[in-house]
Structure formats: C-alpha cells, structure tokens
C-alpha cells in the first residue's frame, strides 16, 4: 500500500511538473489567436480534466471510510475506552483490555489536535487516528498479543508534545 501511494504520488508530481514546464515554455511565445489549439484553450481543457479526475479519484478512494469505528456496519465493540488528548498528556478512562477483545477508542481533545498512536514496541505502529477538539473520532483495534502498548502523540501540539505518553495494558485471555 505504501509503495502504491509512493508511486502514484511520484507519477502525479511528474504530471504536474510536466504541465508546469509546458506552461512556462509556452509563456515565452507570443500570444496567438484564441483558437481551439491555443494555449488558453488547452489550459481550459486541462483545468476541467484535472477537476474531473480529482472528483473521480476522490469518489473512488474515499468511498469506504478507512477508520473502522465510523463505518455504517461497524461491529459492536467489546470495550469502549474514552480518551482525551490534553497539552501534554493522555487521559484514558480505562487502560487494561484483553487479547482478542474488540476495543473501540473514542477520542477527543480539550485544546488542540493531537495524534493518538498506539505502538507495539518502539517501531510497530498498531493503529492511529486524530484526537480533535469538538469531535469524537472512533478507532477500533483488536489486540492479538498481550503486552504493554505505548500511546504517543503523532501530531506536533506544542513544546512538550514528545512527553505525551500513556500505556494500554493488554492481558492474556481470561
Ligand atoms: Cu502532540
């Protein structure tokens, strides 16, 4: 998925750069009549092509909301944990769950945007979403291994952003 995103980003950037260079190259020529083949006519066509492509891509890729808790047919969670991001700490109403439970985090923030990110070990990002003031974001996670999962902030939110840390304790099945 990351590779597809990278390749499509590079292709899109290449297209934008090519159009930009084409426009720059054309700008030095004398403006001709506004016929169907004139630069102005081509710009107008490209503009509408870009708008149509953007609409099609958005519709195709954003149809399914990527955060499970918000889907219309989201499964019913076993546990709901309410979490609030503050400058500079996480407030959780519960921090212990069991392996296999479907945990739904309901996230908000009291001040500015924070990024709620759950890590297994130092490198493996299990799940993440935004914690935003005035809005409740739902994130469903099913932990498959017991252990202590660190919660860090992924959105730079101020001077002590790096200190925002909490721990989700995942215990073996009872
Ligand atoms: Cu932060």
């Amino acid at each position: 998925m990351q590779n597809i995103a990278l390749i499509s980003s590079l292709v899109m950037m290449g297209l934008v750069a090519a159009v930009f260079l084409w426009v720059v190259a054309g700008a030095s020529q004398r403006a001709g009549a506004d016929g169907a083949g004139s630069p102005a006519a081509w710009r107008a066509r490209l503009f509408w092509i870009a708008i149509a492509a953007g609409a099609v891509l958005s519709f195709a890729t954003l149809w399914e909301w990527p955060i499970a808790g918000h889907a219309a047919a989201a499964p019913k969670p076993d546990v709901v944990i309410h979490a609030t991001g503050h400058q500079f700490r996480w407030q959780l109403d519960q921090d212990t769950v069991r392996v296999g439970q479907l945990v739904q985090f309901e996230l908000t923030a009291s001040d500015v945007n924070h990024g709620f990110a759950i890590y297994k070990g130092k490198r493996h990002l299990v799940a993440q979403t935004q914690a935003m003031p005035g809005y409740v974001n739902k994130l469903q996670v099913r932990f498959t291994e017991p252990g202590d999962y660190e919660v860090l902030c992924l959105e730079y939110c101020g001077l002590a952003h790096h200190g925002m840390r909490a721990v989700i304790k995942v215990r073996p099945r009872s």
Side-chain angles (χ1 to χ4, degrees):
M1 188 63 194
Q2 292 293 340
N3 283 338
I4 295 171
L6 175 65
I7 291 166
S8 39
S9 298
L10 289 175
V11 168
M12 298 293 188
M13 283 190 261
L15 280 174
V16 169
V19 168
F20 185 79
L21 290 173
W22 178 67
V23 169
V24 168
S28 60
Q29 296 169 2
R30 270 187 45 184
D34 270 2
S38 71
W42 275 106
R43 270 198 295 276
R45 271 183 221 124
L46 277 176
F47 174 78
W48 290 111
I49 289 170
I51 294 287
V56 168
L57 274 175
S58 300
F59 192 78
T61 58
L62 297 177
W63 187 246
E64 255 187 64
W65 192 250
I67 300 171
H70 283 270
K76 197 176 174 316
D78 302 310
V79 185
V80 175
I81 296 181
H82 298 93
T84 306
H86 306 277
Q87 286 170 313
F88 297 97
R89 66 192 169 86
W90 291 110
Q91 179 189 349
L92 307 173
D93 66 353
Q94 183 182 341
D95 64 1
T96 306
V97 298
R98 294 209 174 266
V99 168
Q101 283 183 320
L102 184 59
V103 182
Q104 178 162 299
F105 294 93
E106 297 192 358
L107 296 142
T108 190
S110 65
D111 35 42
V112 298
N113 273 28
H114 299 276
F116 182 87
I118 304 170
Y119 284 87
K120 177 166 177 28
K122 288 289 172 204
R123 292 187 171 190
H124 182 74
L125 179 61
V126 176
Q128 67 94 23
T129 194
Q130 288 274 305
M132 304 183 286
Y135 189 78
V136 176
N137 240 339
K138 296 174 188 169
L139 177 68
Q140 291 192 341
V141 182
R142 196 186 298 275
F143 295 95
T144 54
E145 289 176 50
D148 286 353
Y149 290 70
E150 198 169 24
V151 174
L152 298 172
C153 182
L154 271 192
E155 180 78 48
Y156 182 72
C157 56
L159 281 180
H161 154 74
H162 58 278
M164 290 185 67
R165 186 180 173 276
V167 175
I168 310 283
K169 298 166 200 140
V170 180
R171 299 290 176 242
R173 292 171 204 270
S174 49

